Every structure is written in C-alpha cells, then in structure tokens.
C-alpha cells in the first residue's frame, strides 16, 4: 500500500507501570519494586527515545485501583516521575495525566509549566475527569459528582489553563468568569519553551470530543474498529474546524494494546502464557466494570443479550463512556458468545484496540489505519514494557521508515514541534473542510 498522506505517523507509548497485562510484574526482566526505582523509569524513557517515539504517556489515579479489574492499581505522580526522566532524555515528549475533578487549574498550569521548563519544552498534560467513588472518598466526598458537572468543570478547567499558559507568554491579564472558576489577574511565569505546553484529552464521549475540538492538541482515543475510529476522527476534526481551528491542529492517537512475536504463533503463545498466569476471573471482572453489566450473570455460551449491547447507560455507571461504546460496538459487529468475547479480549484488546502478531503485521495495521484516515498515529501499550520497547525500536520503527511512514530521526526538540512536524497538509477524509 503506497503512502497517500503527506507527513508521517505519530507514535507514543502509554507507560502502564510494567505493561497492560495483569501478570506483567511476574516477568523475570522485572523486580516487584522496579516501579519505585528511578533507574526503571530512566530505562523506559531511554528506550522510548531510542525508538524516536514522540511521547511517553503516564496515567494517574487519585486512589488505589481495584486489582479485580485494574492491571496497575498503584500509581505514582506523573509530573514527579517525568521531571526525573527529563534529566535522562533529550527529545521524547513527556505527557502527564491529571484530573480536572480534584485539581486546581492555576496550580496545575504552574506544575505542568514547571515540567515544561525542566524538560526544555517537552511537557504535556493529558486531561481526564475522575469517575470513581474511591477517589472521591480521599477528598472527603461520599460520592463522585455527576458526569455532566464533571465535564462542565473540565471544559472550564481546560479553557482557563490554556489562557494562563498564554498569559505567561504574552503578559496579558487573564479575565475568566465561569460557573466553576473565577480568575482575574496576572499569571507571572516564564513563557513555555514550546509556546504553550501540549494538551491532550483522553476519551470519546460527545462532551469529551467537544473539549478536544475546542482546546486540545491531541486525543488519546479508545477505538477497536476502523469504522468507528474513522467516524470519531471525522467528528473531532470537523468540530475543531467549526470552532475556528485547523482540523490538523488536533491529533488523534487511539490506544493499541500490543503483544509481539517473531511469528504470529509465537505472539499468540506469549499472550496466552501471560494471561494464564493472571487470575482466571480477571477478564470477567474487567468487562463488568467496563460496560456496567455483571458479566457473571450472563450465559457464557450464548451471545450477549440485546438489552446489554443496545441498552442505555445506567445512571450509576462510573466507567468510561468511550470505552463502553467501543466495546459494545465491537460486540454488535462480531456477535460473539460471552465466553468467546472474554477469550477474544486477549487478542483484540479491551476498550482500546488490540494487536497480537509480528512487527511486520503491526506495521501493516498502523499503515492501514493511518492511510484510511482513522488516526494520526497510535499510543502503543505493550504487554510488558521493557522487552517490547526494544522490539518497537529495533524492528517496528525501521519497517515504518522503510515504508515512508516515519521520520528517520527527531527533527524537532519540543513536543509541540513533534506534533507539528508530523502534520500532513490535508488528510484524505477532510479535504472538504
């Protein structure tokens, strides 16, 4: 397949502590306490930079995760970790996740701007809202606030934060009067080395898409099928244009869960072994949390009932709307039995898409989605980080370069520069915008 898009693929890696599979910590390549060792994080940063990846993402949570469905229940503060990794790297972007639900926009704007200076213009913020009662309890609340209110606050938070970063560069007074935040005054800080730190938004709900279209430089999307990915891509880019922005200003990077092997058989054997050393109930507990339906009450050898795959979202549902819709759309299209789908998640992903195969096949997948106008790149999520990043650097990236899909070296020094340098003039699906 020839390259019909100018520019090149963007690639990040989502650093899920040890990897996205629950048993990743059992790898002989790792120690159980590596996640608190500075040398481990330095190694991840250097491997990502050896692969010339555009950015590393690090998730955060404001409470301990539930190991019943969370492969990485313990998180460390991303801005602190990335400040350390910034010293060990020179070019790779550093994206820190932070919630708009329990942070303050002025403090967070300052914190991300500090990371931006320490890293020489490589910092970014991955915007999320907090949706679990466990985190709410840590802030003295009995329950998390309603989804609508969370996203209203998130939109104001993003708007004010961007204005504060702009004020650091221009010296202009910020006048912001909203329902959740009221700020009038200066924001005295050195200007960002990249003009303004990069802002990513994570998620695919309608209100999340609107925040992305208005304020974000990129979207960490959850997509399983190419058809729904193309529609999400079109919706966000069209909405950005509707807000007076260029469609290319917002980059779309779906997550992609990876298991790689020298042959497809080897990759499948690897993923089976990794899952077989995880608790047998993990997949069912994870799916229950992801779609808001108790999967253990369903008949394993029957298709998912229509009321499950086409039913409304429960008012008590606390999961990701984007993940939920992505999963249910895949089930609608393939119509598996419950047992088949639980097994299938080993190979085809979760709320994010999944890939099990060879480096060459992965490059095929990336090329197909990119040229089809389904994404601007991917946020890769390896099963085990340390050895998978080596394979990405040594076997995946050279194949992408050979097809003209990826740059041969870093061309810019800032994260914003990486995003801009990759931008095609016009994506095929957006020529009419």
């Amino acid at each position: 397949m020839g390259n019909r898009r100018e520019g090149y693929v963007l690639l990040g890696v989502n650093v899920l502590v040890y990897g996205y599979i629950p048993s990743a910590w059992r790898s002989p390549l790792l120690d159980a306490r590596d996640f608190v060792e500075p040398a481990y994080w330095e190694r991840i940063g250097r491997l990502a930079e050896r692969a010339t990846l555009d950015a590393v993402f690090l998730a955060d949570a404001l409470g301990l995760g539930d190991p019943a469905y969370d492969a990485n229940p313990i998180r460390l503060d991303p801005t602190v970790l990335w400040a350390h990794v910034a010293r060990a790297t020179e070019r790779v972007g550093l994206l820190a996740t932070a919630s708009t639900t329990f942070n303050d926009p002025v403090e967070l704007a300052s914190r991300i701007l500090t990371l931006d200076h320490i890293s020489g213009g490589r910092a970014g913020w991955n915007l999320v809202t907090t949706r679990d009662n466990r985190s709410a309890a840590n802030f003295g609340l009995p329950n998390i606030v309603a989804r609508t209110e969370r996203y209203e606050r998130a939109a104001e938070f993003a708007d004010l934060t961007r204005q504060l970063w702009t004020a650091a560069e221009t010296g202009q007074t910020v006048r912001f009067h909203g329902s959740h935040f009221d700020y009038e005054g200066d924001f005295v800080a050195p200007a960002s080395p990249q003009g303004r730190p990069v802002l990513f938004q994570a998620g695919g709900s309608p209100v999340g898409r609107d925040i992305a279209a208005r304020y974000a430089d990129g979207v960490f999307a959850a997509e399983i099928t190419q058809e729904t990915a193309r529609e999400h891509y079109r919706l966000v880019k069209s909405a950005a244009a509707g807000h007076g922005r260029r469609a290319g200003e917002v980059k779309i990077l779906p997550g992609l869960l990876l298991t790689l092997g020298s042959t497809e058989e080897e990759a499948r054997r690897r993923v089976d072994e990794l899952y077989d050393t995880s608790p047998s109930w993990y997949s069912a507990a994870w799916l229950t949390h992801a779609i808001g339906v108790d999967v253990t009450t369903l008949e394993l050898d029957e298709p998912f009932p229509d009321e499950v795959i086409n039913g409304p979202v429960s008012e008590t549902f606390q999961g990701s709307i984007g993940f939920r819709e992505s999963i249910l759309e895949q089930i609608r299209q393939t119509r598996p039995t419950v047992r088949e789908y639980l097994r299938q998640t080993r190979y085809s992903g979760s709320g994010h898409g999944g890939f099990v195969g060879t480096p060459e096949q992965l490059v095929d997948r990336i090329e197909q989605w990119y040229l089809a106008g389904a994404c601007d790149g991917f946020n890769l999520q390896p099963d085990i980080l340390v050895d998978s990043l080596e394979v990405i650097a040594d076997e995946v990236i050279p194949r992408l370069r050979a097809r003209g899909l990826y740059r041969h070296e870093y061309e810019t020094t800032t994260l914003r520069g990486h995003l801009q340098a990759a931008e095609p003039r016009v994506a095929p699906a957006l020529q009419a915008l």
Side-chain angles (χ1 to χ4, degrees):
M1 184 181 290
N3 188 355
R4 298 190 300 273
R5 283 180 67 172
E6 298 179 14
Y8 54 75
V9 171
L10 286 162
L11 288 178
V13 62
N14 189 24
V15 183
L16 292 171
V17 185
Y18 292 142
Y20 85 84
I21 286 184
S23 62
W25 66 275
R26 295 174 180 261
S27 169
L29 300 172
L30 295 165
D31 184 87
R33 291 185 56 81
D34 272 353
F35 80 101
V36 293
E37 294 297 331
Y40 173 75
W41 296 100
E42 290 175 11
R43 182 182 181 189
I44 296 302
R46 290 188 178 117
L47 282 171
E49 194 156 90
R50 193 176 100 196
T52 64
L53 298 182
D54 294 288
V56 287
F57 287 68
L58 184 58
D60 192 19
L62 299 174
L64 295 178
D66 187 340
Y69 55 79
D70 188 347
N72 295 272
I74 300 175
R75 310 289 170 89
L76 300 180
D77 185 278
T79 54
V80 175
L81 285 177
W82 285 158
H84 179 81
V85 172
R87 297 178 58 191
T89 57
E90 296 179 352
R91 296 291 188 94
V92 68
L94 305 165
L95 275 152
T97 297
S99 170
T100 58
T101 307
F102 293 116
N103 276 294
D104 175 82
V106 181
E107 187 279 330
L108 183 65
S110 179
R111 186 161 23 120
I112 297 294
L113 194 56
T114 300
L115 177 60
D116 205 30
H117 281 282
I118 288 173
S119 64
R122 294 185 282 139
W125 166 36
N126 184 39
L127 180 159
V128 299
T129 69
T130 299
R131 58 179 185 260
D132 65 289
N133 289 333
R134 188 178 292 105
S135 295
N138 285 339
F139 289 84
L141 299 177
N143 295 293
I144 201 71
V145 297
R147 191 182 303 272
T148 299
E149 183 179 347
R150 292 204 312 272
Y151 275 96
E152 288 174 351
R153 177 184 168 95
E156 286 192 15
F157 199 121
D159 190 1
L160 177 53
T161 300
R162 277 178 46 120
Q163 289 190 38
L164 293 168
W165 286 336
T166 299
E169 180 179 22
T170 64
Q172 294 177 338
T173 297
V174 176
R175 293 181 174 86
F176 187 95
H177 305 289
S179 300
H180 296 271
F181 304 107
D182 198 297
Y183 186 97
E184 183 158 350
D186 299 328
F187 183 69
V188 181
S192 163
Q194 56 182 328
R196 187 180 69 242
V198 165
L199 195 164
F200 262 71
Q201 178 268 342
S205 66
V207 287
R209 283 198 300 266
D210 185 66
I211 292 173
R214 289 175 181 270
Y215 308 114
D217 302 297
V219 179
F220 180 9
E223 302 291 350
I224 297 177
T225 69
Q226 188 181 122
E227 294 79 12
T228 57
R230 290 176 66 184
E231 178 64 6
H232 178 258
Y233 187 91
R234 183 191 66 79
L235 288 171
V236 173
K237 302 274 186 169
S238 298
H243 289 301
R245 306 177 68 194
R246 288 185 301 103
E249 287 183 49
V250 187
K251 306 296 189 295
I252 313 296
L253 276 67
L256 186 60
L257 309 179
L258 298 180
T259 295
L260 296 170
S262 57
T263 66
E264 188 173 347
E265 180 183 3
E266 179 184 304
R268 287 182 173 271
R269 185 166 59 248
R270 172 178 167 117
V271 78
D272 282 341
E273 289 172 353
L274 287 169
Y275 267 105
D276 287 344
T277 54
S278 298
S280 59
W281 40 259
Y282 179 85
S283 293
W286 173 85
L287 187 58
T288 294
H289 172 75
I291 65 174
V293 174
D294 186 353
V295 174
T296 63
T297 66
L298 304 179
E299 292 292 334
L300 282 175
D301 294 311
E302 296 290 335
F304 287 82
D306 284 343
E307 60 268 25
V308 170
I309 60 177
N310 295 312
V313 180
S314 166
E315 291 184 1
T316 60
F317 178 65
Q318 292 185 346
S320 162
I321 293 293
F323 267 32
R324 182 180 186 274
E325 184 53 37
S326 182
I327 292 164
L328 293 180
E329 180 58 28
Q330 184 187 40
I331 293 172
R332 292 185 199 108
Q333 290 188 20
T334 58
R335 291 288 178 169
T337 67
V338 175
R339 189 189 304 276
E340 286 169 345
Y341 189 79
L342 291 173
R343 175 80 180 176
Q344 180 183 325
T345 57
R346 297 187 177 197
Y347 306 110
S348 59
S350 55
H352 291 297
F355 175 84
V356 177
T358 67
E360 186 76 18
Q361 291 170 331
L362 174 58
V363 171
D364 289 341
R365 166 74 172 267
I366 291 171
E367 182 177 35
Q368 289 163 4
W369 279 50
Y370 178 70
L371 298 184
C375 66
D376 294 305
F378 285 94
N379 207 15
L380 306 176
Q381 302 183 81
D383 51 9
I384 300 176
L385 275 168
V386 285
D387 57 341
S388 296
L389 274 173
E390 291 181 344
V391 176
I392 290 168
D394 298 337
E395 300 187 44
V396 175
I397 296 300
R399 286 174 167 83
L400 285 168
R401 288 171 176 158
R403 299 191 193 186
L405 292 167
Y406 203 70
R407 50 175 161 61
H408 284 270
E409 58 187 15
Y410 285 113
E411 299 172 355
T412 54
T413 59
T414 67
L415 177 52
R416 185 171 298 281
H418 299 345
L419 300 184
Q420 292 172 344
E423 184 181 332
R425 292 180 191 168
V426 178
L430 300 169
Q431 291 176 349
L433 290 181

